[in-house]
Structure formats: C-alpha cells, structure tokens
Amino acid sequence: MELGMIGLGRMGANMTERLLRGGHRVVSYDRSSQAVQSVVGKGASAAESLEALAVALRVPRVVWLMVPSGDPVIPYLKRDDVIVDGGNSNYKDTLRRAAMLKEKSVHYVDVGTSGGIWGLTEGYSLMVGADREVVERLTPIFQTLAPAPDRGWGHVGPSGAGHFVKMIHNGIEYGLMQSFAEGFAIMEHKAEFKLDLLQIAEIWRHGSVVRSWLLDLIAKALAENPNLRGIRPYVEDSGEGRWTVAEAVDLEVSAPVITLSLLERLRSRDQDSFTDKLLAMMRHQFGGHPLKEKK
C-alpha cells in the first residue's frame, strides 16, 4: 500500500521507517529538506511540495499528517481521498474538520497514536476514529504500525473517537506518572533506610501489581542517573491532560487524580512561588511559625 507522510519530526520519521520496513511505499514531505532526506535514505520517496506529494500518489490517495496544526494539503485532494490525522488534536477540532471534509467527499480519519520514540521497534498503539469502510481500507497500514497485526490497534468509534480516547489515555498517563514520582520521592527522603531506588524499581518490575512500561523506564533512568543530577524540576504538559480535566467537568465526572496530577505539573513551573510564600506568611501571622529566609 502507498501513502503520503507529512511531518517528519522524530515520531513521523520513525513511523515512516516502520511503514517502509513493512513493504509500504511512502512519499514524504516536510518543510525541512534535511528531514526528508533522512527518510529518503531509508527508502521513502521525496516530494518538494504538497502539490507534488498529491500528484505522486495514486488515486484514491491516503495522506498521513504528523503536524501540530493546519490543513494545507486539502486543496490538492479530491473525492474519496483520505486524510489521516495522527497527531494529538483536540477531538472537538477533529469533529469540525471531519464535517468540513465530508462536504468535499474527502474522508478524515483520526488516529490517536501512542508509542513515542519507542514505536519504531515496539510498535504504536493506535486508537482509530472514522467510518468502518475507510478503516477497513487502511487496515494494512494500521497492522504494520501496531505492535502486531492483531493487537495494539483498533477502530474505537466514529470521527473524533480516536482523538477522544487518546486524550483520556494521556490523562491516565498523567496520574500514573505522578503516582510513581511521588512514591519514589517518599522513599528517597527516607534517608535512614538508605534505600536503593534502582533495586526497588527492578524488584517491582517482576511479579508486582505495579509493574509496567513506565516502571521499566524509571529503572532505565535511575540506572543512567541515580540522583537525577542536572535535571530541572520543570514538567511540561502537551494539552491532553487539560482537555481531559475540562471534559470531566463538562460530563460531571469526578477525576481528582488526573486533575491533581495536571496541577502538580503546573506547580513545577513556578520558580518563585507566591502561593508558597503567602502560605508561609499566614502560618507566621497566626501561629508565630518562623519564616525561612531565601538564600
């Protein structure tokens, strides 16, 4: 099968390579000519423009987008062509785009994609939203990108459902990561026991109910940098956690763990916390508790 790949960041390039290994023909485009050449070296074809990419593909065309925003390829697509959005788009934007493209008889498939930098070797988890007929047409692509043809991917519902499920997936990820981080921090502070955090991570990786890929990555990180030296305590969020919390509020579903994990990420960015200063001042005012001077 053939498709166009637009957006050759690390994940897009890795997905392209995995598709090439699976025997698919990939026509690639990116604003960076260096990014394009990196996948051409793996066997992809290069397109110098979006129009050239559209011309290079057989009709009906499949174009996979791995870009943060924009609909630049639409003018070059025709009836029964397919756009696959593999990025972390807000599902409400996906619903709007799918409706707009339906008027042009162009199919829009939203694929929530998880796997990060490990997807090239381990495969990607794919949550697909679209009409069933289109999903069946693209099944060979999904089977190649997934960990195995029969697992790690699935048609979860109509347009918007793929990105919605991926949004919730990332919200859950926030909670899991926060829980692991807090637990290891408590153990790190229990100085009298002189706990070996790497040893504990390795113990938990086998047989424990908390064993997981995240724990595997924790063990790998601790093996490389036991004291986490040189790492700034600043945690970004890519948006999906915020959208998950907003959705929980809209649906009146209690989601305290995901919400608090998001707030902790925001808290990590406050380098000179007015909140904490005011808390310390209040304790000083009502209880005479001493204030610590800033060094």
Side-chain angles (χ1 to χ4, degrees), residues 145-279:
L145 290 173
D150 59 347
R151 64 177 183 269
W153 77 278
H155 180 204
V156 299
S159 294
H163 283 154
F164 180 84
V165 172
K166 179 57 162 54
M167 176 185 75
I168 302 304
H169 164 282
N170 283 26
I172 293 170
E173 178 185 291
Y174 278 38
L176 290 171
M177 292 172 70
Q178 184 68 30
S179 181
F180 271 123
E182 291 176 5
F184 276 87
I186 294 169
M187 291 189 291
E188 194 270 338
H189 279 73
K190 194 65 174 175
E192 62 264 38
F193 283 169
K194 295 182 174 60
L195 298 173
D196 182 337
L197 300 187
L198 175 57
Q199 178 201 31
I200 293 165
E202 291 292 351
I203 291 170
W204 289 355
R205 288 181 62 213
H206 306 282
S208 166
V209 295
V210 300
R211 65 186 183 273
S212 66
W213 187 44
L214 281 175
L215 187 57
D216 294 343
L217 296 177
I218 289 171
K220 181 177 182 294
L222 290 172
E224 295 171 351
N225 189 354
N227 298 310
L228 305 184
R229 287 193 177 91
I231 298 176
R232 182 182 173 192
Y234 183 105
V235 187
E236 288 283 6
D237 74 283
S238 53
E240 296 88 349
R242 301 185 189 211
W243 302 339
T244 301
V245 171
E247 196 70 27
V249 173
D250 288 346
L251 296 174
E252 299 184 352
V253 175
S254 177
V257 173
I258 294 174
T259 302
L260 286 173
S261 67
L262 170 63
L263 295 179
E264 282 298 303
R265 291 193 179 201
L266 300 180
R267 179 182 174 83
S268 77
R269 302 168 203 174
D270 194 346
Q271 301 300 305
D272 192 21
S273 174
F274 185 83
T275 302
D276 291 342
K277 289 179 181 179
L278 195 56
L279 284 170

Side-chain angles (χ1 to χ4, degrees), residues 6 51 53 57 67 72-73 91 96 131 149 151 154 180 184 191 238 248 261 276 284:
I6 299 176
E51 183 177 10
L53 180 140
L57 295 171
V67 293
V73 75
Y91 83 94
R96 174 179 56 80
D131 294 337
R151 64 177 183 269
F180 271 123
F184 276 87
S238 53
S261 67
D276 291 342
H284 176 68

